[in-house]
């Protein structure tokens, strides 16, 4: 798999800086014994890249890091598009997610890849400094493995979403999955703050943009999902019931929301997402 397009290959190198990793990732900080955290703060300083909005090349991440094995999203969103036979499939990466943009997939398929950043994205490069620290504090590796396992679970759910027969179902299921991370519970709905275009939603659910636009219009008319602003979507609590075991359009099944949702709390704290 080629990791960039011709235009991205000519992109200038990104400004380089460093970041104390334990100060920007709470889980990694908790993995170090309390009496050693001050020392770990000083030694576990890794390269940082602030990504301009738009398409970027993985080659721009390299330079002051000899052997980076992963990148960690610190802020904003990174979109990974895989293009095959003229169709594009996307994956969203947010704060805490790990990825390897410079790695070429071992496949005979004529795939291409594209990387895009939005929302003032910033990433940290985990290199030999991290691997050396993980030998002293093995809990750091455990955090990485656990996070990668969670991303695999999310990918499995996404595959199940794409397999749903109706585009309306796929879109609702996608937004409930996104709400698990980016949702805030309101009394009558869940607010999902993400700037998603119809084209990107189509890439996430395996549908073409015109079909997505029609499906979103139908969901809005049914009061299940509507766009409030360029970066805000309102997902009605009852919409989750349409994805229950009895199939679409069934009312009266248990809602995915809490009986007493607290306004302003993250959806992940209150709303279970089926992972089957």
């Amino acid at each position: 798999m080629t990791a960039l397009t011709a235009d991205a290959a000519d992109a200038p190198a990104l400004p380089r800086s460093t970041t104390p990793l334990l100060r920007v990732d709470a889980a990694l900080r908790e993995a170090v014994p309390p009496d050693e955290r001050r020392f770990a703060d000083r030694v576990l300083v890794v390269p940082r890249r602030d990504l301009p909005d738009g398409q970027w090349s993985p080659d721009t991440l390299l330079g002051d890091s000899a052997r980076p094995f992963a990148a960690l999203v610190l802020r904003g969103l990174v979109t990974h598009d895989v293009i095959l036979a003229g169709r594009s499939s996307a994956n969203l990466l947010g704060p805490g997610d790990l990825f390897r943009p410079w790695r070429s997939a071992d496949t005979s398929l004529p795939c291409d890849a594209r990387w895009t950043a939005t929302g003032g994205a910033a990433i940290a490069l985990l290199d030999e400094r991290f691997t050396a620290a993980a030998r002293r504090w093995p809990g750091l590796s455990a955090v990485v493995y656990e996070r990668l396992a969670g991303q695999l679970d999310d990918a499995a759910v996404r595959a199940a979403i794409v397999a749903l027969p109706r585009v309306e179902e796929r879109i609702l299921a996608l937004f409930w999955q996104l709400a698990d991370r980016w949702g805030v519970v309101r009394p009558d709905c869940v607010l999902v703050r993400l700037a998603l275009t119809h084209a990107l939603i189509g890439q996430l659910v395996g549908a073409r943009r015109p079909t997505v636009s029609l499906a979103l219009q139908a969901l809005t008319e049914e009061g299940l999902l509507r766009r409030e602003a360029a970066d805000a979507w309102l997902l009605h609590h009852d919409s989750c019931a349409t994805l229950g075991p009895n199939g679409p359009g069934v009312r009266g099944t248990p809602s995915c929301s809490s009986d007493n949702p607290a306004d302003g709390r993250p959806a992940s704290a209150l709303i279970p997402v089926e992972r089957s």
Side-chain angles (χ1 to χ4, degrees):
M1 177 187 290
T2 55
L4 59 149
T5 64
D7 291 339
D10 298 329
L14 297 173
R16 295 168 184 170
S17 60
T18 59
T19 188
L21 191 59
L22 300 190
R23 297 183 187 178
V24 295
D25 193 299
L28 291 174
R29 184 174 183 82
E30 290 296 319
V32 176
D35 59 339
E36 296 190 68
R37 286 175 189 165
R38 180 174 294 183
F39 172 66
D41 275 338
R42 295 197 303 269
V43 300
L44 196 46
V45 177
V46 299
R48 173 190 171 116
R49 299 287 184 270
D50 291 281
L51 304 175
D53 285 356
Q55 192 174 338
W56 55 274
S57 164
D59 285 350
T60 61
L61 301 181
L62 306 177
D64 57 358
S65 184
R67 291 182 298 276
F69 71 89
L72 172 69
V73 182
L74 302 176
R75 184 185 65 208
L77 290 177
V78 172
T79 305
H80 179 209
D81 299 312
V82 177
I83 301 99
L84 175 63
R87 298 292 296 271
S88 178
S89 175
N91 183 36
L92 283 182
L93 299 164
D97 285 335
L98 293 156
F99 64 105
R100 298 184 67 185
W102 48 80
R103 179 180 180 273
S104 296
D106 185 13
T107 177
S108 298
L109 291 171
C111 296
D112 199 0
R114 181 173 57 227
W115 296 90
T116 308
T118 55
I123 62 175
L125 299 182
L126 306 187
D127 56 9
E128 66 277 3
R129 282 162 277 198
F130 183 87
T131 56
R135 286 194 289 270
R136 174 164 180 158
W137 302 296
L140 295 173
S141 294
V143 171
V144 169
Y145 297 149
E146 181 67 22
R147 204 163 286 178
L148 289 173
Q151 290 178 221
L152 284 174
D153 290 342
D154 289 341
V157 174
R158 185 66 54 80
I161 289 172
V162 173
L164 291 172
R166 297 176 63 239
V167 176
E168 291 87 349
E169 293 177 86
R170 297 183 212 169
I171 293 174
L172 283 180
L174 168 70
F175 271 90
W176 277 105
Q177 187 186 42
L178 297 176
D180 202 34
R181 288 189 65 178
W182 288 287
V184 176
V185 175
R186 290 182 173 180
D188 60 341
C189 65
V190 178
L191 171 66
V192 181
R193 283 213 169 274
L194 283 174
L196 302 176
T197 64
H198 290 195
L200 178 54
I201 293 171
Q203 293 167 13
L204 290 167
V205 301
R208 294 186 181 275
R209 187 198 58 76
T211 305
V212 169
S213 298
L214 291 174
L216 286 169
Q217 181 179 349
L219 291 171
T220 299
E221 292 172 354
E222 294 179 32
L224 300 177
L225 173 69
R226 69 179 176 87
R227 192 172 198 164
E228 186 178 56
D231 63 345
W233 299 79
L234 298 181
L235 185 62
H236 197 279
H237 291 310
D238 290 344
S239 66
C240 192
T242 69
L243 300 169
N246 293 323
V250 178
R251 303 296 184 214
T253 53
S255 173
C256 288
S257 63
S258 169
D259 291 336
N260 298 293
D263 189 22
R265 290 184 59 183
S268 58
L270 296 173
I271 302 172
V273 173
E274 291 189 17
R275 300 185 181 277
S276 59

